[in-house]
Amino acid sequence: MFLKRHPGIHLLIVFSLGLLVGLVCGRFITDLLPGATAAAPQTAEGAILFGAADASEPGPPTPVEYQGYLGVYDNHLAIYDGLPPHGTLKHVITDYEVRDDLRSLLEVGIPFTDTYDLLRLLENYTS
């Protein structure tokens, strides 16, 4: 009887049931996804950038990134570990001599942090 007197209530009931089913299914699906975290972070990410986080709380250790650079050794391209100009020579690419137009950049050292960056640099400076 109530439904006959209020015809718009059907849409409200269908919408509410759809919302409820969507929320329940969404909760279970996010648990199945890889990389889903169980606990929410205590501080918003943007707050850390502006110093709103409490400095007395120790945070997670920051990962140490590899640092290397592309430079010059005996007129050839060379790969160094460390930061320019105090790196350790790891490999000399004897197939490629340093071009005169790139020499000033390579003498200063062009830093990279991973293999992808190194390959991109080698592609740019050997072609």
Side-chain angles (χ1 to χ4, degrees):
M1 292 268 217
F2 178 75
L3 295 177
K4 288 188 178 191
R5 281 190 274 163
H6 302 287
I9 199 79
H10 292 289
L11 295 175
L12 182 62
I13 291 172
V14 170
F15 176 77
S16 298
L17 286 175
L19 180 65
L20 181 63
V21 169
L23 289 174
V24 170
C25 290
R27 172 68 181 132
F28 290 116
I29 289 174
T30 55
D31 288 341
L32 298 175
L33 293 176
T37 57
Q42 297 295 328
T43 305
E45 288 182 33
I48 294 172
L49 295 175
F50 297 106
D54 186 11
S56 63
E57 294 180 18
T62 57
V64 177
E65 286 189 1
Y66 172 78
Q67 283 287 306
Y69 67 96
L70 189 63
V72 178
Y73 180 82
D74 195 27
N75 203 31
H76 294 285
L77 287 176
I79 300 171
Y80 292 87
D81 279 345
L83 294 173
H86 305 290
T88 305
L89 179 65
K90 288 299 177 184
H91 185 73
V92 178
I93 306 171
T94 56
D95 296 340
Y96 295 99
E97 289 190 8
V98 177
R99 295 186 342 218
D100 291 332
D101 60 331
L102 301 174
R103 180 175 301 281
S104 62
L105 290 172
L106 291 167
E107 285 177 348
V108 173
I110 302 169
F112 61 90
T113 57
D114 58 14
T115 306
Y116 176 76
D117 285 343
L118 174 61
L119 292 175
R120 181 182 51 81
L121 286 172
L122 287 174
E123 182 179 343
N124 289 339
Y125 289 98
T126 58
S127 55

